[in-house]
Amino acid sequence: LISSSGGAAYIASPEPRLPLGARSDTVYGSHTLVLKRGDIIVFFTDGVPEASDAGDNPWSYDALKGFAS
């Protein structure tokens, strides 16, 4: 979540954390989030923070959060 007041934060995902459709018997929970005007939700796959830059330095979840802020 990129807040309209500045900064970025991760939204905790409820259990289970399996990919959608990975198992037909998985029961997913729900979560309600109230957004304010100007808030942005950024969706990404695990490949984004696990990628490396041109110098083969691994990126991270912290780097992604800093980039989005």
Side-chain angles (χ1 to χ4, degrees):
L1 171 67
I2 301 173
S3 173
S4 58
S5 60
Y10 287 108
I11 301 169
S13 60
E15 297 293 331
R17 295 181 184 172
L18 295 172
L20 292 175
R23 295 185 55 177
S24 62
D25 61 342
T26 301
V27 177
Y28 295 94
S30 65
H31 180 79
T32 301
L33 178 68
V34 178
L35 299 175
K36 297 181 197 115
R37 181 179 295 269
D39 287 351
I40 299 170
I41 296 179
V42 177
F43 293 92
F44 59 92
T45 68
D46 60 345
V48 174
E50 294 174 1
S52 298
D53 65 15
D56 205 30
N57 301 304
W59 225 36
S60 66
Y61 285 91
D62 289 336
L64 177 60
K65 183 177 170 184
F67 175 78
S69 294

